[in-house]
Amino acid sequence: MHPVQPMRAAFRHTLAGLLCWALAGLVHAADAAPAMQVKQVGPHSYYVEGLSALGSGANQNFISNAGFVITPESVVVIDALGSPQLAERLTAEIRKLTPLPVSNVILTHYHADHIYGLQFFKALGAHITAHESAKEYIQSDTARLRLEASRTDLAPWINDKTRLVEADTWISGPTSLKVGGMVFELDHVGPSHTPEDLTIFVPSEKVLFAGDLFFNGRLPFVGKANSSQWIQSLELMLAHDATTVVPGHGAASTDPKKDIGVTRDYLKFLRSSMGQAVQDFVPFEDVYKQTDWSTFEHMPMFGFANRMNAYNTYLLMEEEALEQKR
């Protein structure tokens, strides 16, 4: 192994952790709790859309999406939102549509803005399903420290009573879940955005819940993602017979080929520009200044996320280059 590779890998992991902490800690000003509007995307399928912002006490950490499907027997929720209060608000919205219980929660991945509401659903008796690759994170110091920081930075919505909740069922591969006669196809598409990424396709609804594999109308958070696998997973997503794709962030897409293509093209651009710089031994600071970001700089979250995305990709391309030389 090249002597710098472990250092770079560790540094990338540390940077990703610091960025996660910053996402929770930086305050996005708001005068009141954000509205939660349920939007229908299929005959029995719905979602709520979080803000394109950083998590804060002011917005209750409502910065991600969650979906739900009303089956003849019960309700299946996809992702738990970023605080117990948000999960309670989502349940209240579900109650406006049906008295059926929430029986299942399926997690697309274990990032904080998608899981801090889990304990509320667990208290309702819901069965939680996620991919087993999340076990390492949920039991890590990174997850524990992130929660400790969030108890201050996202107060009062995240507090001493907020806890990390593990899945009841950890799946290891493609899984078909049937609830109330409706089929939910769970596909493991990680390691992409995270090692545990799942997509959830409901064939009878022609709706695909994509989690953070797909960011619509805003720049994605790349972190320490495996962007090569991520690009391949986006291509596989397009093979589903879905008329609507619900992303982890941003509005649902009724033109998946076009909208998913934006996320895919951004990842490809990062890999191409940073990969060429690594090949030519151009320092990161120089290549970042020289790169034409005009195609993407108008997108929400560009100012916050792009530089870190580019830097993490630069480190990733260095690691890939070292691997190829072995």
Side-chain angles (χ1 to χ4, degrees):
M1 179 180 290
H2 192 284
V4 300
Q5 187 175 2
M7 294 176 62
R8 284 171 173 157
F11 188 45
R12 285 180 63 237
H13 187 275
T14 301
L15 284 173
L18 287 172
L19 180 56
C20 285
W21 182 86
L23 278 168
L26 293 176
V27 173
H28 180 84
D31 294 328
M36 181 178 288
Q37 180 181 0
V38 173
K39 301 177 183 180
Q40 188 167 7
V41 288
H44 310 92
S45 299
Y46 306 81
Y47 84 107
V48 294
E49 181 182 347
L51 302 174
S52 183
L54 302 177
S56 71
N59 61 31
Q60 298 183 359
N61 204 27
F62 187 26
I63 61 172
S64 64
N65 298 350
F68 62 94
V69 180
I70 302 174
T71 81
E73 178 182 281
S74 60
V75 180
V76 176
V77 170
I78 293 93
D79 285 342
L81 296 174
S83 66
Q85 173 68 16
L86 288 174
E88 183 175 5
R89 290 179 59 192
L90 176 60
T91 302
E93 294 299 325
I94 293 172
R95 290 286 175 264
K96 294 177 183 178
L97 297 172
T98 178
L100 292 171
V102 175
S103 62
N104 296 77
V105 176
I106 305 171
L107 294 178
T108 61
H109 64 299
Y110 255 90
H111 276 178
D113 53 324
H114 297 261
I115 66 163
Y116 281 171
L118 275 178
Q119 67 188 66
F120 180 83
F121 290 115
K122 186 68 176 174
L124 293 181
H127 187 93
I128 302 165
T129 301
H131 191 270
E132 64 181 8
S133 295
K135 286 182 181 180
E136 182 177 356
Y137 172 75
I138 196 86
Q139 297 167 358
S140 69
D141 286 339
T142 301
R144 178 181 58 80
L145 292 171
R146 172 72 188 277
L147 178 57
E148 287 180 6
S150 296
R151 286 171 174 150
T152 298
D153 301 323
L154 299 177
W157 315 109
I158 304 300
N159 55 39
D160 290 342
K161 295 181 180 180
T162 310
R163 67 185 190 277
L164 297 172
V165 178
E166 296 196 15
D168 298 299
T169 297
W170 296 105
I171 65 173
S172 59
T175 301
S176 181
L177 177 67
K178 184 177 285 188
V179 180
M182 296 181 68
V183 174
F184 296 77
E185 296 179 358
L186 283 58
D187 287 324
H188 180 222
V189 292
S192 297
H193 178 69
T194 66
E196 68 270 16
D197 290 317
L198 289 180
T199 59
I200 298 93
F201 181 52
V202 190
S204 61
E205 301 283 296
K206 290 193 172 184
V207 174
L208 177 69
F209 295 92
D212 282 8
L213 202 65
F214 170 38
F215 289 64
N216 195 16
R218 55 155 285 186
L219 218 65
F221 163 51
V222 175
K224 61 171 186 172
N226 182 330
S227 53
S228 178
Q229 175 65 36
W230 192 342
I231 291 166
Q232 294 178 44
S233 297
L234 289 173
E235 298 289 357
L236 290 174
M237 274 176 50
L238 292 172
H240 283 288
D241 183 26
T243 56
T244 303
V245 177
V246 178
H249 299 264
S253 172
T254 55
D255 189 354
K257 186 174 181 180
K258 173 178 175 292
D259 294 333
I260 290 173
V262 175
T263 297
R264 179 198 58 208
D265 292 347
Y266 175 67
L267 295 173
K268 285 185 174 181
F269 184 77
L270 285 177
R271 289 182 60 84
S272 175
S273 57
M274 297 302 110
Q276 188 63 53
V278 168
Q279 183 177 324
D280 295 341
F281 300 99
V282 180
F284 173 74
E285 292 295 337
D286 293 342
V287 68
Y288 191 80
K289 292 175 183 177
Q290 295 165 9
T291 300
D292 180 4
W293 299 106
S294 59
T295 302
F296 307 102
E297 63 186 3
H298 67 284
M299 298 177 68
M301 304 302 286
F302 177 90
F304 177 77
N306 188 66
R307 184 182 178 85
M308 184 64 77
N309 288 346
Y311 186 61
N312 281 337
T313 303
Y314 185 92
L315 296 177
L316 174 66
M317 301 311 293
E318 284 187 322
E319 290 178 11
E320 291 186 6
L322 289 171
E323 288 286 343
Q324 291 173 5
K325 290 178 181 179
R326 288 182 178 180

